[in-house]
């Protein structure tokens, strides 16, 4: 490959009317010190190159122009003096299938058949930057170079596609605004680069109508994204919020205007403001970064590294396109290399930033969880302390209440004991006078003459009143005994006929008629309680039996059970009273005007249950009259019974 820099003459054709012969004969030719760099100009440019061919080479030569965005490229060769032949016609205005060589930029084959000096004229037109290098390649070397270049571009843009894919996955996973902005920024940068290199046009055959518009739109939009990336990297929304919003509106206006110009087909008018604005932003951001570094802002260090490399490449490319620096391989590829380094650094920074934020967030969440746990533990501790204090107060209150209850119980037991002793004392004191009254009334009746029936009747009334009073004392004493929590039974062998005979003596002669033919020989029971039960049954029957009739007592056995039936034939109990006769303090309609407390049958039922038996109402009217049956076991089924 031979670079023609320094060997070219240039001629401007403002009217674009010159043909090859006229251009070669024109007077405006002058030597180019380097490659062509005319900037954005609508003027047609002619290049003249003199080639000394010492001997023909196999396959000939290839004239390669490095700028892929040239609109029209024509190459002429003077085969004979004054006769010019068109070697090839290329450029974006020419359909790709008509290009002499299918390459990303214009390549014209040149195969001279004779030796000596040959003059080549290159006619160039473009609404893009009139910047290009002209290289002369041997055919084999060009083929090898194109293959290497294809491999290089494949690796280069394959890396970009991988980077875009990774950022797309990263954005889908994180949904952070910065990752989405970087993804758009990266995608537009890659699109602009492949369009600037002519790769899309070469692969797809995209016509210049669309390629120029897409490239102009990409430059305009990417200007806005690059601005936003830069201000976020510098932290301007935090440091200078008002200035940042004002600049963002300005950039939106500039990008929108350039976008409209690009869509309208004014490519040069759309790209030049973008490049000039980008140069101003580079100067402004570089100055701000230097100021922030001087003031000690750490985030400006990364900006200086990542954007410094990018700004250097972009600055070199812009200055080359504007015609201020020469065109060569370094200036052509510096922008691409700077952009790649810039994207790599931004990607690493973004992932590292997200990772740092994630760790900070996790650390903050861990601290928050620890603080919440600590506060919760303190809250629980306070609740436990409060609950403990409440429990202590409750325990103290209950202890006081327990002490009060204990004192009340002791007082009640003492009062009950005193009451029991008092009742026992009163009953004992009552029994002695009552016994004396009863005995004296009997003796008095016996000592009176038979002619005094009035006196005998009065003695009988005295004896009856004493008996009723003694029965009441027995009932109340028995009820008091039954009311104790535990009644101690005093079992002994009972002579039932003797007991019934004794009880019959308390009533008028012949009033109690006992049938003891089937009475058992032995009965083990509590004689005192049985005495009270039988006495109450007999007294109850006596009260409800008319004078002149007897109360019948029938005693017989049924297995190991003793049955005592007490019947008064002439009496009856109403149906609605039959279920209540054993209730405490219940007195029937017929007993309302008779003395008594309603405890007799109730005590009988309690005593029968304590003795292991029961009391039932066999009949309440009719021929049988009123009959109560007292059922008792002859021998209680209790261990270690002591008998007297």
């Amino acid at each position: 490959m031979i670079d023609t820099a320094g060997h070219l003459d240039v001629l401007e054709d403002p009217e674009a009317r010159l043909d090859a012969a006229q251009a070669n004969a024109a007077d405006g030719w002058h030597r180019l010190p380097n490659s062509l760099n005319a900037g954005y100009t609508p003027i047609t440019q002619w290049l003249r190159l003199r080639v000394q061919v010492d001997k023909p080479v196999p396959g000939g030569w290839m004239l390669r122009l490095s700028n892929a965005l040239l609109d029209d490229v024509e190459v002429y060769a003077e085969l004979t003096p004054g006769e010019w032949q068109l070697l090839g016609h290329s450029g974006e205005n020419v359909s790709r299938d008509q290009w002499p060589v299918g390459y990303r930029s214009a390549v014209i084959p040149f195969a001279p058949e004779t030796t000596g000096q040959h003059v080549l004229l290159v006619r160039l037109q473009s609404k893009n930057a009139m910047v290009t290098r002209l290289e002369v390649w041997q055919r084999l070397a060009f083929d090898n170079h194109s293959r290497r270049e294809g491999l290089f571009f494949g690796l280069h843009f394959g890396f970009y596609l991988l980077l875009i894919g990774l950022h797309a996955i990263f954005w889908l996973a994180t949904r952070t605004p910065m990752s989405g902005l970087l993804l758009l920024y990266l995608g537009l940068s890659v699109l602009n680069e492949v369009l600037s290199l002519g790769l899309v046009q070469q692969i797809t055959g995209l016509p210049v109508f669309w390629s120029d518009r897409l490239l102009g739109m990409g430059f305009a939009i990417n200007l806005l994204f690059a601005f936003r990336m830069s201000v976020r990297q510098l932290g301007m929304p935090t440091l200078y919020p008002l200035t940042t919003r004002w600049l963002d509106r300005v950039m939106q206006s500039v990008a929108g205007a350039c976008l409209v110009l690009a869509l309208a087909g004014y490519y040069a008018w759309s790209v030049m403001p973008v490049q000039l604005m980008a140069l101003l932003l580079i100067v402004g951001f570089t100055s701000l970064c230097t100021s922030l570094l001087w003031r000690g802002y750490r985030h400006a260090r990364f900006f200086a590294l990542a954007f410094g490399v990018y700004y250097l490449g972009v600055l070199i490319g812009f200055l080359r396109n504007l015609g201020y620096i020469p065109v060569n391989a370094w200036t052509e590829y510096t922008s691409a290399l700077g952009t790649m380094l810039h994207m790599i650094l931004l990607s690493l920074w973004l992932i590292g930033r997200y990772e740092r934020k994630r760790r900070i967030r996790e650390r903050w969440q861990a601290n928050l969880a620890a603080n919440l746990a600590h506060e919760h533990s303190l809250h629980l501790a306070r609740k436990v302390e409060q609950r403990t204090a409440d429990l202590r107060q409750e325990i103290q209150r209950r202890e006081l209440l327990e002490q009060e209850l204990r004192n009340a119980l002791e007082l009640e037991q003492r009062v009950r004991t005193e009451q029991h002793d008092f009742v026992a004392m009163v009953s004992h004191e009552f029994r002695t006078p009552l016994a004396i009254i009863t005995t004296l009334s009997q003796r008095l009746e016996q000592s009176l003459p038979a002619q005094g029936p009035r006196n005998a009747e009065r003695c009988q009334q005295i004896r009856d009143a004493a008996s009723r009073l003694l029965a009441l004392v027995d009932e109340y004493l028995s009820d008091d005994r039954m009311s104790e929590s535990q009644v101690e039974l005093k079992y002994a062998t009972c002579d039932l006929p003797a007991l019934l005979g004794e009880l019959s003596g308390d009533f008028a002669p012949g009033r109690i008629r006992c049938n003891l033919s089937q009475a058992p020989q032995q009965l083990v029971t509590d004689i005192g309680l049985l005495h009270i039960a039988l006495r109450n049954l007999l007294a109850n029957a006596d009260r409800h039996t008319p004078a002149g009739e007897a109360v019948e007592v029938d005693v017989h056995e049924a297995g190991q059970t003793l049955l005592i039936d007490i019947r008064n034939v002439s009496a009856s109990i109403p149906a609605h009273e039959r279920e209540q006769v054993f209730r405490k303090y219940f007195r029937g309609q017929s007993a309302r005007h008779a003395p008594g407390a309603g405890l007799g049958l109730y005590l009988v039922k309690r005593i029968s249950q304590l003795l292991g038996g029961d009391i039932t109402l066999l009949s309440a009217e009719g021929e049988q009259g009123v009959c109560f049956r007292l059922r008792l076991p002859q021998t209680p089924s209790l261990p270690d019974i002591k008998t007297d």
Side-chain angles (χ1 to χ4, degrees):
M1 187 274 291
I2 301 174
D3 192 353
T4 62
H7 302 281
L8 293 174
D9 297 330
V10 63
L11 173 68
E12 293 185 355
D13 184 7
E15 302 295 332
R17 295 180 178 179
L18 300 177
D19 57 15
Q22 292 172 345
N24 185 55
D27 297 331
W29 291 94
H30 62 274
R31 178 60 59 93
L32 281 176
N34 209 312
S35 298
L36 178 62
N37 191 353
Y40 290 91
T41 176
I43 299 176
T44 302
Q45 303 288 324
W46 287 86
L47 297 178
R48 184 167 59 189
L49 176 65
R50 292 180 173 84
V51 180
Q52 180 66 35
V53 179
D54 295 332
K55 62 177 181 178
V57 295
W61 301 84
M62 309 293 286
L63 301 179
R64 172 182 174 271
L65 288 92
S66 61
N67 190 349
L69 301 181
L70 296 173
D71 292 338
D72 192 88
V73 179
E74 296 177 357
V75 179
Y76 297 89
E78 188 179 19
L79 299 180
T80 59
E83 183 180 352
W84 295 88
Q85 179 182 357
L86 179 64
L87 297 180
H89 189 194
S90 186
E92 289 198 300
N93 289 338
V94 181
S95 177
R96 285 276 172 170
D97 56 1
Q98 297 180 10
W99 283 29
V101 177
Y103 188 65
R104 63 181 185 85
S105 61
V107 177
I108 308 298
F110 170 55
E113 298 178 355
T114 60
T115 60
Q117 189 180 64
H118 295 268
V119 179
L120 300 177
L121 293 180
V122 181
R123 183 178 182 272
L124 303 175
Q125 287 182 326
S126 181
K127 54 183 167 296
N128 301 297
M130 189 69 73
V131 177
T132 185
R133 286 184 297 118
L134 180 61
E135 299 171 345
V136 181
W137 289 78
Q138 287 187 4
R139 180 59 184 263
L140 181 59
F142 175 77
D143 292 341
N144 293 332
H145 168 74
S146 62
R147 284 191 290 269
R148 287 193 301 269
E149 189 180 59
L151 177 61
F152 169 76
F153 283 142
L155 295 175
H156 181 75
F157 291 105
F159 172 78
Y160 269 133
L161 292 177
L162 178 62
L163 195 62
I164 291 173
L166 291 176
H167 274 292
I169 296 173
F170 183 76
W171 178 76
L172 290 174
T174 61
R175 295 292 182 173
T176 57
M178 197 66 178
S179 63
L181 182 61
L182 180 60
L183 181 62
L184 294 174
Y185 177 56
L186 179 60
L188 282 173
S189 298
V190 173
L191 177 63
N192 293 339
E193 187 171 348
V194 294
L195 286 173
S196 298
L197 293 174
L199 294 175
V200 174
Q201 297 89 321
Q202 178 187 0
I203 296 172
T204 64
L206 187 69
V208 67
F209 179 85
W210 290 112
S211 63
D212 283 351
R213 283 168 172 76
L214 287 176
L215 192 58
M217 292 166 56
F219 283 146
I221 297 173
N222 212 27
L223 174 68
L224 181 60
F225 288 160
F227 168 77
R228 291 182 175 177
M229 285 291 300
S230 301
V231 297
R232 292 197 179 190
Q233 287 290 331
L234 282 172
M236 288 182 63
T238 303
L239 297 174
Y240 313 104
L242 294 177
T243 304
T244 302
R245 286 196 294 268
W246 179 78
L247 287 176
D248 190 76
R249 293 191 186 98
V250 173
M251 295 307 301
Q252 291 181 33
S253 301
V254 173
C258 294
L259 184 65
V260 172
L261 290 173
L263 286 173
Y266 298 99
Y267 177 80
W269 288 101
S270 68
V271 174
M272 288 182 65
V274 169
Q275 295 187 353
L276 291 174
M277 184 60 71
L279 289 175
L280 292 176
L281 290 177
I282 288 174
V283 174
F285 286 140
T286 302
S287 302
L288 179 59
C289 178
T290 304
S291 174
L292 293 177
L293 286 173
W294 180 262
R295 291 156 58 186
Y297 286 88
R298 296 183 59 184
H299 62 273
R301 299 177 185 176
F302 177 79
F303 184 89
L305 175 62
F307 282 82
V309 174
Y310 175 64
Y311 285 168
L312 180 61
V314 172
L315 184 62
I316 291 174
F318 286 177
L319 293 176
R320 179 202 64 208
N321 291 340
L322 295 174
Y324 296 109
I325 61 176
V327 180
N328 52 45
W330 289 105
T331 58
E332 283 186 348
Y333 293 109
T334 299
S335 178
L337 293 175
T339 302
M340 175 175 283
L341 290 175
H342 171 65
M343 295 301 177
I344 293 173
L345 292 173
L346 280 181
S347 301
L348 294 176
W349 172 83
L350 180 62
I351 295 174
R353 177 173 176 265
Y354 177 78
E355 182 66 18
R356 286 191 301 272
K357 284 189 174 182
R358 184 185 65 82
R359 291 179 180 177
I360 292 173
R361 184 170 59 252
E362 289 180 352
R363 187 160 52 248
W364 176 81
Q365 291 176 349
N367 293 334
L368 179 61
N371 293 334
L372 290 176
H374 181 66
E375 292 179 0
H376 185 63
S377 63
L378 292 178
H379 178 67
L380 288 178
R382 288 193 294 269
K383 290 185 67 175
V384 169
E385 292 176 358
Q386 182 63 35
R387 185 58 178 167
T388 303
D390 294 342
L391 288 176
R392 288 197 188 99
Q393 294 178 358
E394 182 67 17
I395 291 172
Q396 292 176 357
R397 189 183 67 81
R398 295 197 178 194
E399 288 177 350
L400 292 175
L401 181 60
E402 182 181 0
Q403 185 62 36
E404 292 177 358
L405 291 175
R406 190 179 294 110
N407 295 335
L409 180 60
E410 292 176 356
L411 178 61
E412 181 186 0
Q413 290 175 348
R414 186 167 61 252
V415 171
R416 186 176 183 83
T417 302
E418 293 175 355
Q419 180 184 6
H420 183 74
D421 294 341
F422 174 76
V423 171
M425 180 191 69
V426 170
S427 66
H428 180 269
E429 295 298 326
F430 277 5
R431 283 178 183 277
T432 300
L434 288 174
I436 293 173
I437 292 172
T438 303
T439 304
L440 290 178
S441 65
Q442 290 178 352
R443 290 181 181 180
L444 183 62
E445 184 181 3
Q446 293 174 359
S447 62
L448 290 175
Q451 292 80 12
R454 184 67 176 172
N455 293 331
E457 182 180 354
R458 289 174 179 173
C459 290
Q460 182 63 37
Q461 290 177 355
I462 293 172
R463 189 166 57 252
D464 292 342
S467 298
R468 286 196 301 272
L469 183 59
L470 185 60
L472 286 174
V473 170
D474 287 341
E475 286 180 1
Y476 280 111
L477 285 175
S478 300
D479 181 60
D480 182 68
R481 183 182 176 189
M482 294 298 103
S483 300
E484 295 181 0
S485 58
Q486 292 182 352
V487 179
E488 183 179 356
L489 299 178
K490 300 177 181 179
Y491 288 102
T493 302
C494 175
D495 186 354
L496 184 60
L499 178 61
L500 289 174
E502 179 184 351
L503 291 172
S504 298
D506 294 337
F507 300 92
R511 185 68 167 175
I512 307 299
R513 186 185 304 165
C514 295
N515 181 13
L516 303 176
S517 59
Q518 299 182 12
Q521 298 297 324
Q522 183 179 7
L523 174 65
V524 178
T525 186
D526 188 316
I527 299 175
L529 292 178
L530 180 59
H531 182 278
I532 295 172
L534 291 175
R535 190 180 187 285
N536 278 285
L537 285 172
L538 293 174
N540 181 72
D542 177 65
R543 281 194 298 270
H544 297 89
T545 301
E549 296 186 6
V551 175
E552 297 182 0
V553 179
D554 186 14
V555 180
H556 59 279
E557 293 179 294
Q560 296 296 321
T561 303
L562 177 65
L563 304 179
I564 302 174
D565 295 341
I566 298 176
R567 180 183 297 107
N568 51 330
V569 177
S570 299
S572 65
I573 300 176
H576 65 278
E577 296 181 357
R578 294 172 187 175
E579 295 181 357
Q580 307 181 58
V581 293
F582 297 108
R583 199 178 69 184
K584 190 175 183 179
Y585 302 122
F586 174 76
R587 305 189 70 198
Q589 190 69 29
S590 61
R592 293 293 173 88
H593 302 289
L599 293 172
L601 293 178
Y602 166 74
L603 287 176
V604 173
K605 186 174 183 64
R606 289 289 308 278
I607 291 171
S608 65
Q609 292 174 349
L610 288 173
L611 296 179
D614 61 2
I615 180 72
T616 57
L617 178 63
L618 287 182
S619 63
E621 60 182 353
E623 296 180 359
Q624 298 295 326
V626 177
C627 181
F628 288 95
R629 170 170 287 181
L630 177 63
R631 184 183 291 106
L632 296 174
Q634 294 188 32
T635 303
S637 57
L638 296 173
D640 302 329
I641 294 180
K642 297 180 181 180
T643 60
D644 297 334

